[in-house]
């Protein structure tokens, strides 16, 4: 209720407040400001309480005075309007739910409950709405305000008649009609109405959101159908292209396989050359007559062993000189077992060669023991003047001997250090006072570890194939002459010529020509069959190199060294405590020497029974400091193992306090019991490889680089020889005695393993290394064809090789014709090969994901050779055709031995 100070009073009824309060506020803010009437708020009695908010400040309106200027009035009105809008009673969160419902719903009933009518918030909202409505009536009807502010004449009349009606209400209470009193709404009913209204609103909103959702779903469905149709169309086009490429590949498949078979004939040719070289070497050894036996001949090697056993009283120097020949014979027998193809080795030959190796090793060690005994008998004559004890060091390229004899038994001399070396022993007191001798025999080879059994092919298959070939050849030789004789008889019976003698002569000439041609054809057929058989056996032998065994050969106990997992490096250190033999005595110009029948005896330390000794620590371990062989590379601290003579295996128990100094190459440890000791390293420490590269240097010459976690190894291959080009450790070149030495592939692999550079997996390596397993047949075909192309093309490791399945390999390839120059700005091409299909990939080495998609405007072939041939130059193909068969075979053997695709 508002009243002016003028006599004319305008009373605005509450039923005109049906319009939305927020609509009025928005219209008021959008309309220009006009002078407001001078209003004052008529408040209800203070005893009426507010139902929705109990703590609300009293409402007050700004009352303009008559003396204010128009500008002042306008500014004060704006402040009052802003203050009113900031009033918490106007915010929806400050109003009660029932008042908001009735103010915002156009069709809500206008009658209010007495409690709502006396609510201060409701009265304030109603008064503000009325004032805004009155203000909109007096605004000029321009623009967007015409529709909101232009009221009809009837509405204006109703507004002007309002003061009289309100005046009448102030004169006295209006008489109530009988039965007009409405029932009061309870709180439960009001809550129920509010709940129903809320459910209706949520339902309307849900319907609206459902319609929007269905429209979005429909759009997504149409878009998906369109994309699916495009995808199916693309797949159809790709399928048609793929079918065309397959049909084209099928047409030329036989031709490509025949050409590849012809090119791979170099492998049996190389094997045949090897056989001829072995026979030639035997013949050269026979005509040389140097007195050395042929180890492959049982009679000669047995004679050599028997004669050497009969020789006695050999000094250590003489034994060392003879040991060079023995070691040569042992290495030659090992090479025969490794180089000879399995189909050429019989079981009896394998047994004979392995038996000869063991006999030579045992005899050599026996000779060293006898020479040591002879040396210790003369210990008193070789005693040192300062200490009074004997010390002797004998060094050779294969053997180093350290001998110390305790002649004085002085407990103060407990530290034994050999002159000009770092080798040292720290003896306990009980040994320092005993009549003993220490011997350290360092053999740079390992004759202690038992060799692995030689893997051989099935003899049945070889014998059946040989029998099949012989049968075919015999059939060709026998059937053709019989046919010829039948024809000859028919001709003789049918000949009725007068000149019978001339006809017979002519027939004899023709017979001789035909027989010679038949013999030539039979020889050619026999050669072809022989080469076919040799090709199959060579393929089987190559496949045997990369096959994995299904299970481990042995079960290893605790503290037992797994010889499949660890490699013995640096030779064997034979540490022995020996009983000092009786010394020779000079008598009247003669040397009297007592020779024991038992020979050289070992001193048992610690003894088997310790009852006679008081303390338990009477036999402490012996501290040993050894020099590591200079030709061996340890990438980690080596482990120390001792030989168990009873179990015939290496063990790590009884050894403690191991420390290694890499710069000084010294290893220190405490040893409880004496015997053969060796240093071991993980066999697969350089596996898997990080990357590899095969680069041509010239015709019949390539460089193979293998990069591991610790080192980078470069290997040169030339014809049928291999050489270590360089070794890098921590990006620095490391010298090695193997650099510059050309060897055949088998000897080269053995030398690298003994030097600690083992990059040659065995059939058991997959149990100890996480590998990228590839099917052996696919890997073998890829290596063979890489060897064919190695004279003109470079190959490299690809990271996508690990992402394809086991039946496929991925590699990088590029043409490289520069001699002795590294690859500058390489432009690699990615190829995928599955054994019977090769293709260029659309992706490159730096793509985000792997895809087998075919590169545009390219085809696939049945062989890797013909795939590379598509983008090869004429010069490159000429180099490939001029490659030597032995060179190709050596490259293939090295690739198969390293197994680049499975272990990188």
């Amino acid at each position: 209720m508002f009243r002016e100070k003028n006599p004319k009073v305008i009373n605005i009824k509450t039923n005109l407040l049906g319009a939305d309060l927020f609509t009025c506020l928005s219209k008021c803010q959008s309309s220009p400001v006009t002078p407001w009437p001078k209003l004052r708020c008529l408040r209800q009695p203070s005893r009426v309480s507010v139902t929705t908010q109990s703590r609300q400040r009293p409402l007050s309106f700004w009352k303009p005075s008559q003396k204010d200027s128009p500008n002042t009035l306008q500014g004060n009105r704006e402040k009052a309007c802003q203050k009113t809008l900031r009033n918490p009673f106007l915010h929806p969160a400050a109003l009660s739910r029932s008042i908001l419902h009735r103010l915002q719903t156009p069709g809500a009933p206008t009658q209010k409950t007495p409690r709502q009518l006396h609510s201060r918030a409701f009265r304030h909202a109603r008064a503000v709405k009325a004032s805004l409505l009155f203000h909109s009536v007096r605004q000029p009807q321009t623009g967007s305000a015409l529709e909101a502010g232009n009221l009809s004449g009837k509405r204006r009349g109703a507004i002007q008649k309002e003061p009289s009606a309100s005046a009448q209400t102030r004169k006295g209470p209006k008489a109530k009609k009988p039965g007009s009193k409405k029932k009061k709404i309870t709180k439960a009913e009001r809550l129920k109405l509010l709940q129903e209204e809320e459910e209706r609103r949520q339902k309307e909103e849900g319907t609206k959101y459902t319609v929007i959702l269905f429209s979005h779903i429909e759009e997504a469905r149409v878009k998906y159908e369109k994309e699916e149709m495009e995808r199916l169309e693309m797949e159809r086009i790709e399928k048609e292209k793929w079918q065309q490429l397959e049909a084209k590949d099928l047409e030329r498949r036989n031709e490509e396989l025949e050409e590849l078979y012809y090119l791979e004939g170099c492998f049996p040719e190389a094997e045949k050359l090897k056989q001829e070289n072995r026979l030639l070497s035997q013949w050269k050894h026979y005509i040389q007559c140097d007195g050395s036996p042929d180890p492959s001949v049982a009679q000669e090697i047995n004679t050599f062993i028997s004669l050497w056993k009969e020789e006695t009283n050999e000094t250590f120097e003489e034994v060392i000189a003879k040991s060079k020949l023995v070691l040569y014979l042992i290495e030659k027998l090992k090479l025969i077992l490794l180089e000879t193809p399995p189909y050429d080795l019989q079981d009896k030959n394998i047994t004979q060669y392995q038996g000869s190796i063991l006999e030579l090793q045992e005899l050599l060690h026996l000779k060293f023991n006898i020479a040591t005994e002879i040396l210790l008998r003369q210990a008193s004559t070789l005693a040192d003047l300062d200490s009074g004890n004997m010390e002797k060091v004998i060094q050779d390229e294969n053997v180093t001997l350290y001998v110390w004899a305790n002649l004085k038994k002085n407990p103060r001399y407990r530290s034994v250090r050999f002159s000009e070396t770092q080798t040292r022993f720290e003896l306990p007191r009980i040994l320092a006072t005993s009549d003993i001798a220490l011997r350290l025999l360092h053999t740079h080879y390992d004759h202690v570890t038992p060799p692995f059994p030689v893997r051989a092919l099935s003899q049945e298959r070889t014998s059946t194939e040989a029998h099949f070939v012989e049968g075919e050849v015999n059939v060709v030789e026998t059937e053709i002459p019989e046919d010829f004789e039948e024809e000859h008889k028919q001709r003789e019976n049918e000949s009725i010529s007068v000149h019978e003698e001339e006809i017979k002569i002519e027939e004899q000439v023709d017979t001789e020509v035909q027989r010679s041609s038949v013999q030539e054809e039979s020889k050619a057929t026999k050669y072809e069959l022989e080469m076919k058989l040799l090709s199959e056996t060579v393929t089987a032998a190559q496949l045997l190199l990369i096959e994995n065994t299904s299970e481990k050969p042995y079960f290893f106990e605790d503290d037992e060294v797994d010889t499949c997992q660890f490699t013995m490096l640096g030779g064997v250190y034979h540490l022995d405590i020996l009983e000092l033999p009786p010394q020779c005595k000079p008598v009247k110009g003669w040397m009297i020497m007592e020779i024991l029948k038992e020979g050289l005896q070992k001193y048992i330390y610690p003894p088997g029974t310790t009852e006679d000794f008081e303390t338990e620590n009477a036999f402490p371990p012996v501290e040993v400091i050894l020099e590591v062989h200079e030709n061996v590379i340890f990438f980690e601290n080596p482990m120390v193992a001792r030989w168990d003579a009873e179990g015939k295996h290496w063990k790590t128990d009884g050894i403690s306090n191991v420390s290694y100094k890499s710069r000084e190459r010294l290893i220190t440890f405490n040893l409880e019991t004496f015997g053969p000791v060796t240093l071991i390293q993980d066999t697969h420490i350089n596996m898997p490889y990080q990357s590899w590269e095969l680069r041509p240097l010239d015709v019949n010459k390539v460089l193979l680089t293998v990069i591991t976690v610790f080192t980078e190894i470069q290997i040169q291959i030339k014809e049928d020889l291999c050489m270590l080009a360089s070794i890098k450790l921590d990006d620095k070149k490391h010298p090695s005695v193997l650099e510059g030495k050309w060897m055949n592939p088998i000897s080269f692999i053995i030398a690298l393993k003994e030097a600690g550079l083992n990059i040659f997996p065995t059939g058991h390596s997959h149990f100890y290394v996480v590998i990228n397993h590839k099917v052996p047949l696919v890997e073998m075909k890829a290596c063979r064809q890489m060897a064919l192309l190695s004279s003109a093309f470079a190959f490299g490791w690809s990271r996508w090789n690990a992402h394809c399945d086991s039946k496929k390999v991925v590699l990088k390839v590029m043409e490289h014709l520069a001699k002795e120059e590294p690859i500058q700005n390489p432009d690699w091409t990615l190829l995928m090969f599955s054994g019977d299909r090769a293709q260029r990939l659309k992706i490159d080495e730096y793509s985000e994901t792997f895809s087998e998609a075919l590169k545009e405007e390219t085809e696939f072939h049945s062989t890797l050779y013909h795939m590379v041939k598509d983008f090869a130059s004429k010069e490159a193909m000429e180099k490939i055709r001029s490659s030597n068969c032995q060179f190709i075979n050596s490259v293939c053997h090295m690739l198969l031995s390293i197994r680049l695709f499975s272990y990188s």
Side-chain angles (χ1 to χ4, degrees):
M1 303 289 290
F2 298 90
R3 182 187 297 273
E4 287 191 357
K5 291 185 179 180
N6 297 335
K8 185 179 179 180
V9 178
I10 299 175
N11 186 8
I12 302 175
K13 295 184 179 180
T14 60
N15 57 3
L16 297 178
L17 299 177
D20 192 357
L21 174 61
F22 301 104
T23 305
C24 296
L25 287 173
S26 63
K27 290 180 179 180
C28 178
Q29 293 176 2
S30 62
S31 61
V33 181
T34 56
W36 283 39
K38 297 179 181 179
L39 305 175
R40 63 186 178 87
C41 182
L42 300 179
R43 301 183 181 181
Q44 294 293 334
S46 60
R47 67 177 179 271
V48 181
S49 61
V50 181
T51 59
T52 58
Q53 292 186 1
S54 60
R55 296 182 181 179
Q56 295 177 349
R57 61 176 180 238
L59 302 176
S60 62
F61 275 80
W62 164 72
K63 300 177 182 181
S65 63
Q66 297 178 357
K67 299 179 181 181
D68 294 336
S69 62
N71 295 331
T72 307
L73 290 174
Q74 184 175 356
N76 293 336
R77 279 195 298 272
E78 291 177 359
K79 294 179 180 179
C81 184
Q82 293 176 3
K83 183 177 180 181
T84 304
L85 292 175
R86 287 196 302 267
N87 198 310
F89 296 107
L90 296 180
H91 197 277
L95 300 177
S96 66
R97 189 177 295 274
S98 61
I99 296 174
L100 279 177
H101 173 66
R102 285 164 177 79
L103 289 176
Q104 295 180 4
T105 306
T110 57
Q111 295 182 359
K112 310 295 179 181
T113 61
R115 192 168 186 179
Q116 290 175 338
L117 290 174
H118 289 284
S119 172
R120 180 179 299 176
F122 181 78
R123 290 199 318 275
H124 175 65
R126 186 172 56 187
V128 172
K129 193 169 186 180
S131 64
L132 295 175
L133 183 60
F134 180 76
H135 173 63
S136 64
V137 171
R138 297 188 60 179
Q139 286 181 358
Q141 300 178 6
T142 58
S144 61
L146 278 174
E147 297 179 1
N150 187 14
L151 300 177
S152 63
K154 295 181 181 181
R155 186 76 178 262
R156 291 179 181 177
I159 295 173
Q160 291 177 358
K161 293 177 183 180
E162 188 67 26
S164 61
S166 61
Q168 291 178 3
T169 57
R170 288 195 299 273
K171 292 181 180 180
K174 188 176 180 180
K176 298 181 180 179
K177 296 180 182 181
S180 62
K181 186 176 180 181
K182 295 183 179 181
K183 185 178 179 181
K184 185 177 180 181
I185 299 176
T186 62
K187 184 176 181 181
E189 292 175 351
R190 185 165 63 252
L191 292 174
K192 185 177 180 181
L193 291 174
L194 291 174
Q195 185 176 3
E196 291 176 355
E197 185 66 21
E198 183 68 20
E199 291 177 355
R200 183 184 65 79
R201 185 183 63 80
Q202 292 180 356
K203 186 176 181 181
E204 291 177 355
E205 291 180 356
T207 305
K208 179 180 177 182
Y209 294 151
T210 304
V211 173
I212 295 173
L213 180 61
F214 276 116
S215 64
H216 287 309
I217 292 174
E218 183 67 18
E219 293 177 0
R221 185 185 63 79
V222 173
K223 184 178 179 181
Y224 172 76
E225 289 179 353
K226 184 179 179 181
E227 293 177 353
E228 186 68 15
M229 291 181 65
E230 293 177 355
R231 186 185 64 82
L232 292 176
E233 182 66 17
M234 292 294 295
E235 288 183 354
R236 185 187 64 80
I237 295 173
E238 292 293 334
K239 188 176 181 180
E240 290 180 356
K241 290 182 180 179
W242 192 265
Q243 290 176 353
Q244 293 176 0
L245 292 174
E246 284 183 341
K248 191 174 181 180
D249 177 59
L250 189 61
E251 292 178 359
R252 62 192 178 197
R253 180 177 180 82
N254 292 333
E255 182 182 352
E256 291 180 351
L257 292 178
E258 288 177 1
E259 184 179 359
L260 179 65
Y261 179 78
Y262 172 75
L263 293 172
E264 288 184 343
C266 62
F267 296 110
E269 289 180 5
E271 189 59 38
K272 195 169 184 180
L273 287 175
K274 284 184 180 179
Q275 293 177 357
E276 294 176 357
N277 290 334
R278 285 194 291 268
L279 294 175
L280 183 61
S281 63
Q282 290 180 358
W283 172 250
K284 287 182 178 180
H285 180 270
Y286 177 77
I287 64 177
Q288 192 173 6
C289 297
D290 58 351
S292 61
D294 185 358
S296 60
V297 180
Q299 293 82 359
E300 295 186 16
I301 195 67
N302 291 336
T303 302
F304 173 79
I305 292 174
S306 300
L307 292 176
W308 197 28
K309 285 182 179 179
E310 294 177 357
E311 296 181 7
T312 58
N313 299 327
E314 290 179 299
T315 63
F316 210 92
E317 289 79 3
E318 293 174 349
V319 174
I320 288 178
K322 195 68 172 288
S323 67
K324 294 180 181 180
L325 176 59
V326 176
L327 293 175
Y328 169 76
L329 296 175
I330 292 174
E331 294 300 324
K332 196 170 183 180
L333 286 171
K334 289 182 178 179
L335 286 177
I336 291 174
L337 291 173
L338 294 174
E339 288 182 348
T340 306
Y343 53 84
D344 280 350
L345 281 176
Q346 298 181 2
D347 291 338
K348 62 177 183 179
N349 292 335
I350 294 175
T351 305
Q352 172 196 332
Y353 297 155
Q354 290 179 346
S356 300
I357 290 173
L358 292 176
E359 287 185 13
L360 289 173
Q361 290 176 351
E362 293 176 356
L363 180 58
L364 180 61
H365 192 69
L366 177 63
K367 290 293 183 178
F368 281 134
N369 289 337
I370 295 174
T372 303
E373 182 183 4
I374 295 174
L375 182 63
L376 289 177
R377 290 173 188 166
Q378 304 171 3
S380 58
T381 60
L382 301 175
D384 183 48
L385 297 178
D386 296 333
S387 62
N389 298 324
M390 189 273 282
E391 177 184 322
K392 186 73 173 179
V393 177
I394 302 175
Q395 292 185 349
D396 186 68
E397 59 181 357
N398 298 318
V399 178
T400 303
L401 177 67
Y402 304 89
V403 180
W404 178 82
N406 190 12
L407 299 175
K408 292 295 183 181
K409 306 179 187 60
N410 191 346
R412 293 181 299 175
Y413 291 100
R414 298 172 58 181
S415 178
V416 179
R417 179 175 180 177
F418 294 93
S419 59
E420 299 180 358
T421 64
Q422 299 292 329
T423 304
R424 190 171 72 241
F425 294 88
E426 294 293 335
L427 301 178
R429 184 180 180 87
I430 188 172
L431 290 179
T433 57
S434 299
D435 196 12
I436 61 168
L438 290 178
R439 185 188 68 171
L440 170 58
L441 179 62
H442 181 200
T443 58
H444 302 169
Y445 48 83
D446 181 10
H447 287 173
V448 178
T449 306
F452 283 103
V454 179
R455 299 174 66 183
L457 290 173
S458 176
Q459 298 294 334
E460 296 179 358
R461 177 188 174 191
T462 306
S463 60
T464 53
E465 289 177 350
H467 178 71
F468 171 76
V469 173
E470 292 177 357
E472 292 288 336
V473 173
N474 293 332
V475 168
V476 172
E477 291 179 349
T478 55
E479 288 183 356
I480 295 178
E482 291 177 358
D483 296 338
F484 175 76
E485 289 177 359
E486 291 178 358
E487 293 178 0
H488 179 61
K489 289 179 181 179
Q490 291 177 1
R491 290 178 182 178
E492 287 181 348
N493 295 329
E494 294 176 357
S495 61
I496 321 173
S497 176
V498 179
H499 305 285
E500 294 180 354
E501 295 180 357
E502 295 180 358
I503 294 173
K504 289 180 180 180
I505 293 172
E506 292 178 358
E507 288 179 353
Q508 288 176 1
V509 172
D510 293 338
T511 303
E512 291 177 357
V513 172
Q514 289 182 3
R515 283 181 178 178
S516 62
S517 62
V518 167
Q519 290 178 357
E520 291 178 357
E521 291 179 359
S522 62
K523 288 181 180 180
T525 306
K526 184 177 180 180
Y527 178 78
E528 290 179 359
L529 292 174
E530 182 183 355
M531 295 302 294
K532 184 178 180 180
L533 175 62
L534 189 60
S535 176
E536 292 178 357
T537 52
V538 169
T539 302
Q542 291 176 348
L543 194 61
L544 193 66
L545 286 175
I546 56 178
E547 283 185 348
N548 297 326
T549 57
S550 59
E551 57 183 10
K552 294 183 180 181
Y554 308 109
F555 176 75
F556 298 95
E557 302 176 354
D558 295 339
D559 300 326
E560 184 179 352
V561 177
D562 186 354
T563 53
C564 298
Q565 184 179 2
F566 295 96
T567 303
M568 294 69 197
L569 297 177
V572 178
Y573 300 87
H574 296 267
L575 297 174
D576 298 307
I577 304 178
L578 306 173
E579 295 181 359
L580 194 62
Q583 298 299 303
C584 60
K585 299 178 182 180
V587 177
K588 295 181 181 181
W590 293 84
M591 296 294 296
I592 299 177
M593 184 181 300
E594 182 182 358
I595 299 176
L596 299 178
K597 186 178 179 180
E598 297 83 5
L600 193 64
Q601 298 295 318
K602 291 185 178 181
Y603 181 88
I604 300 176
Y605 179 87
T609 57
T610 58
E611 298 177 356
D612 299 336
F613 301 92
E614 299 179 355
T615 60
E616 296 180 357
N617 297 328
F619 303 96
V622 179
E623 183 179 351
V624 182
I625 301 177
L626 300 178
E627 292 181 351
V628 179
H629 198 281
E630 59 182 0
N631 296 333
V632 179
I633 299 175
F634 286 98
F635 299 100
E636 292 180 348
N637 292 342
M639 300 171 59
V640 183
R642 66 174 185 87
W643 177 251
D644 184 6
E646 296 180 358
K648 302 295 181 181
H649 52 249
W650 294 100
K651 301 187 71 174
T652 57
D653 60 341
I655 300 171
S656 59
N657 299 333
V658 181
S659 63
Y660 178 65
K661 297 179 181 180
S662 57
R663 291 185 179 181
E664 294 82 0
R665 300 187 65 84
L666 296 176
I667 188 165
T668 306
F669 56 92
N670 291 342
L671 187 63
E672 295 181 0
T673 58
F674 278 71
V677 173
T678 188
L679 306 181
I680 60 176
Q681 181 177 251
D682 188 0
T683 303
H684 313 95
I685 194 170
N686 289 314
M687 304 177 196
Y689 322 124
Q690 291 186 334
S691 65
W692 58 269
E693 181 183 285
L694 180 66
R695 174 167 58 91
L697 299 177
D698 200 353
V699 179
N700 299 329
K701 189 176 182 181
V702 296
L703 178 68
L704 176 61
T705 304
V706 180
I707 300 176
T708 67
V709 177
F710 297 99
T711 183
E712 176 181 334
I713 303 173
Q714 291 186 344
I715 303 170
Q716 283 190 17
I717 305 173
K718 181 180 68 174
E719 296 182 352
D720 60 339
L721 300 175
C722 300
M723 180 192 71
L724 181 64
S726 67
I727 305 172
K728 288 184 180 179
L729 299 177
D730 299 329
D731 297 331
K732 295 180 181 179
K733 195 171 181 180
H734 183 78
S736 175
V737 295
L738 298 177
E739 293 183 14
K741 293 184 178 180
W742 291 96
M743 294 175 276
N744 62 63
I746 300 295
S747 303
F748 179 75
I749 291 173
I750 294 174
L752 281 186
K753 287 183 178 180
E754 292 177 352
L757 301 173
N758 192 351
I759 53 173
F760 307 99
T762 63
H764 309 92
S765 297
H766 63 284
F767 292 112
Y768 310 100
V769 184
V770 178
I771 66 171
N772 181 23
H773 176 68
K774 299 296 179 182
V775 175
L777 185 61
V778 176
E779 190 171 1
M780 184 197 68
K781 289 183 177 181
C783 292
R784 286 166 69 103
Q785 297 180 40
M786 284 171 60
L788 289 173
L789 299 164
S790 59
S791 292
F793 284 88
F795 298 90
W797 167 85
S798 174
R799 69 189 185 100
W800 301 120
N801 183 51
H803 292 75
C804 60
D805 56 20
S806 61
K807 297 180 181 180
K808 300 173 183 177
V809 296
V810 179
L811 67 156
K812 299 186 298 186
V813 61
M814 66 171 292
E815 185 175 313
H816 184 70
L817 302 177
K819 297 181 179 180
E820 303 288 342
E821 293 181 4
I823 299 175
Q824 301 291 341
N825 301 322
D827 185 16
W828 295 105
T829 299
L830 278 183
L831 299 183
M832 185 174 68
F833 182 58
S834 61
D836 56 358
R837 175 173 294 176
Q839 68 181 66
R840 295 181 67 176
L841 295 180
K842 186 177 181 180
I843 60 174
D844 57 12
E845 195 66 18
Y846 305 101
S847 301
E848 294 182 357
T849 57
F850 175 71
S851 173
E852 296 184 1
L854 186 69
K855 189 176 182 180
E856 295 84 357
E857 300 180 357
T858 61
E859 302 175 354
F860 50 77
H861 293 267
S862 300
T863 66
L864 187 65
Y865 173 83
H866 291 90
M867 186 72 251
V868 175
K869 188 179 178 182
D870 276 357
F871 54 88
S873 63
K874 293 183 179 180
E875 185 180 358
M877 297 308 298
E878 290 178 359
K879 280 190 172 183
I880 291 171
R881 294 187 186 99
S882 61
S883 298
N884 187 6
C885 63
Q886 290 182 325
F887 163 75
I888 296 173
N889 187 61
S890 299
V891 173
C892 180
H893 184 84
M894 194 60 60
L895 295 178
L896 292 174
S897 299
I898 300 176
R899 300 191 64 180
L900 298 173
F901 294 105
S902 294
Y903 285 82
S904 61

